[in-house]
């Protein structure tokens, strides 16, 4: 299967057991609340998300103690945190202190890897802008050749902490930009 067509596959149907579990569940997932990124420097991360991408700072704060340790597993840590609103998405930025930080770059194909995809008007201009904040594209933007997303221009960009965003320029925006 070509990557450009990966989104067109039909989801596999649930087995009878899976359907039974889903139908008899006492819970429901209501909606996603936010996406979180651990960062080396909250100040640098805020510059990128607010100045670089145009997000709005919602709040800042500090966390520590048993609550933080039980929720995150980072026992003994303190956290400087901020929440930024960007295009209707809440982004939580977390700077952990007081724990052994092991920074190793993850790759898009490593298990557990995650990214946030953003719809943008002009990938090329945005890539120039975010380079100032040390966010680097992983190659050259590519146009999806088939399927429901045909014509969409896409690229991953990785920040200085290893966080990844996917930029997606929809076909109409691609055509308008190329006509300039």
């Amino acid at each position: 299967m070509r990557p450009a067509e990966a989104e067109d596959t039909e989801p596999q149907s649930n087995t009878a057991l899976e359907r039974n579990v889903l139908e008899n569940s006492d819970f429901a997932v209501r909606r996603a609340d936010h996406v979180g990124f651990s960062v080396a420097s909250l100040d640098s991360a805020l510059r990128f998300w607010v100045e670089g991408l145009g997000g709005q700072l919602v709040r800042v704060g500090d966390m520590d103690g048993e609550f933080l340790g039980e929720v995150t597993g980072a026992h003994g840590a303190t956290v400087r945190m901020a929440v930024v609103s960007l295009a209707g998405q809440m982004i939580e930025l977390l700077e952990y202190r007081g724990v052994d930080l092991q920074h190793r770059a993850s790759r898009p194909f490593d298990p557990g890897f995650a990214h946030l995809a953003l719809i943008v008007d002009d990938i090329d201009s945005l890539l120039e802008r975010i380079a100032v904040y040390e966010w680097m594209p992983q190659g050259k933007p590519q146009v999806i050749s088939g399927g429901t997303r045909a014509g969409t221009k896409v690229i991953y960009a990785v920040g200085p902490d290893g966080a990844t965003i996917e930029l997606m320029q929809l076909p109409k925006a691609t055509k308008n930009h190329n006509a300039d």
Side-chain angles (χ1 to χ4, degrees):
M1 177 185 311
R2 296 189 349 241
E5 298 172 357
E7 293 184 43
D8 278 346
T9 59
E10 291 293 322
Q12 294 182 356
S13 62
N14 294 328
T15 65
L17 175 61
E18 290 170 327
R19 282 192 303 275
N20 188 38
V21 169
L22 291 173
E23 292 168 0
N24 295 309
S25 294
D26 291 333
F27 71 89
V29 176
R30 303 285 181 208
R31 65 181 173 87
D33 184 73
H34 65 274
V35 174
F37 291 101
S38 294
V39 299
S41 166
L42 184 61
D43 297 329
S44 293
L46 282 171
R47 278 192 293 281
F48 171 71
W49 290 97
V50 174
E51 295 172 13
L53 292 180
Q56 301 272 323
L57 180 61
V58 174
R59 69 179 181 274
V60 295
D62 296 292
M63 298 182 288
D64 63 9
E66 185 177 344
F67 175 85
L68 177 68
E70 289 298 323
V71 170
T72 67
H75 297 279
T78 60
V79 173
R80 286 183 62 217
M81 62 82 65
V83 175
V84 173
S85 176
L86 176 66
Q89 176 67 53
M90 295 302 220
I91 312 293
E92 182 180 54
L93 305 169
L94 304 160
E95 179 186 331
Y96 284 84
R97 296 174 173 182
V99 290
D100 181 28
L101 301 176
Q102 297 179 8
H103 183 77
R104 67 174 178 83
S106 59
R107 302 164 298 179
F109 47 86
D110 287 337
F113 176 86
H115 70 275
L116 172 64
L118 302 170
I119 303 294
V120 303
D121 290 335
D122 185 336
I123 280 183
D124 298 318
S125 293
L126 189 54
L127 287 174
E128 287 178 26
R129 181 178 179 93
I130 67 176
V132 172
Y133 302 92
E134 299 179 33
W135 281 72
M136 304 305 297
Q138 296 304 287
K140 295 178 183 174
Q142 299 294 303
V143 176
I144 298 173
S145 62
T148 59
R149 298 277 176 117
T152 301
K153 195 174 186 181
V154 297
I155 187 73
Y156 276 16
V158 176
D161 295 328
T164 300
I165 56 176
E166 178 180 4
L167 304 175
M168 302 177 73
Q169 182 178 321
L170 301 178
K172 184 177 179 184
T174 302
K175 291 175 187 169
N176 289 341
H177 177 68
N178 290 338
D180 292 341

